[in-house]
Amino acid sequence: MGINNERDIEANMQIGPTDQGMVRIFIEADGIEIPMDFDPEEADEIAEEIKAAAMAARAVKT
């Protein structure tokens, strides 16, 4: 499965700080819970990657 393969799955995503000073991305779908913890520097890198992907996606639409 690649990034361009669509799936008809609903999921909820929450993002926030933990009491341990980490950033957690929490995904819940079909009874499965996936907590992913990142240190703040990793979270900044992920945020930059998301922004770059959003800019690339906008370029595809135009």
Side-chain angles (χ1 to χ4, degrees):
M1 169 165 191
I3 200 158
N4 286 316
N5 295 43
E6 292 188 31
R7 295 285 197 154
D8 192 22
I9 298 173
E10 284 190 33
N12 294 314
M13 179 174 70
Q14 298 176 22
I15 302 171
T18 70
D19 59 0
Q20 300 294 310
M22 302 291 279
V23 175
R24 177 167 291 167
I25 299 175
F26 185 81
I27 308 289
E28 180 182 16
D30 293 331
I32 298 171
E33 296 178 346
I34 304 170
M36 296 177 285
D37 291 348
F38 304 93
D39 64 42
E41 290 75 23
E42 289 175 309
D44 286 337
E45 290 175 14
I46 292 167
E48 290 173 14
E49 290 179 30
I50 291 171
K51 286 186 144 207
M55 287 178 22
R58 284 187 190 96
V60 169
K61 283 189 167 185
T62 58

